[in-house]
Amino acid sequence: MGGARQATAVVVGGAAVAALMVMLAPAAIQQAQDRMDQTLRYPTGAAAKAEDSGVPTWLPDTALRIAFLTDTRDGDRLIRATLPDRALPAGCTEGRPVGTVHLRAHWFPTDTPQRATAHCGLYDVALVGDQLYGWQDAAVVASARPGGVPVR
């Protein structure tokens, strides 16, 4: 009888560890991926703009779950945000993409350029449901500035 109890305890204990791993693994994987691609995360648009001067000013303060990636070598950028009202931010205009996506991040869908329908500042953007995905091509930004000064 003691052996049966031990076996049951081992099975129950193993199941508990497996359940815990299933709950914790996605967050640990996301943190590891974020470290590799150097993603910064913010709870709201207001917090993002307060902490990082590189976050675009057109991002609504009410935006949620911001993911932001900047290539420090040339200034290319990616952004993802949840927009609860499912509408483009004020000041965005309709239009096909001008720039090219040069960065990659696990949270940025590869088909975003085909879905992009608007510009917010110097970002090309796609609004998919309540998710805004945008990118900034440093070459486009440089050509938009007087004298073609590159972004640093």
Side-chain angles (χ1 to χ4, degrees), residues 9-34:
V10 168
V11 169
V12 170
V17 168
L20 185 60
M21 291 300 291
V22 166
M23 291 177 357
L24 298 178
I29 291 169
Q30 179 175 308
Q31 285 179 342
Q33 289 173 327
D34 285 352

Side-chain angles (χ1 to χ4, degrees), residues 17-55:
V17 168
L20 185 60
M21 291 300 291
V22 166
M23 291 177 357
L24 298 178
I29 291 169
Q30 179 175 308
Q31 285 179 342
Q33 289 173 327
D34 285 352
R35 276 194 302 275
M36 286 191 305
D37 65 22
Q38 306 208 352
T39 295
L40 299 174
R41 292 190 182 269
Y42 306 98
T44 65
K49 290 187 282 187
E51 292 181 37
D52 190 335
S53 64
V55 172

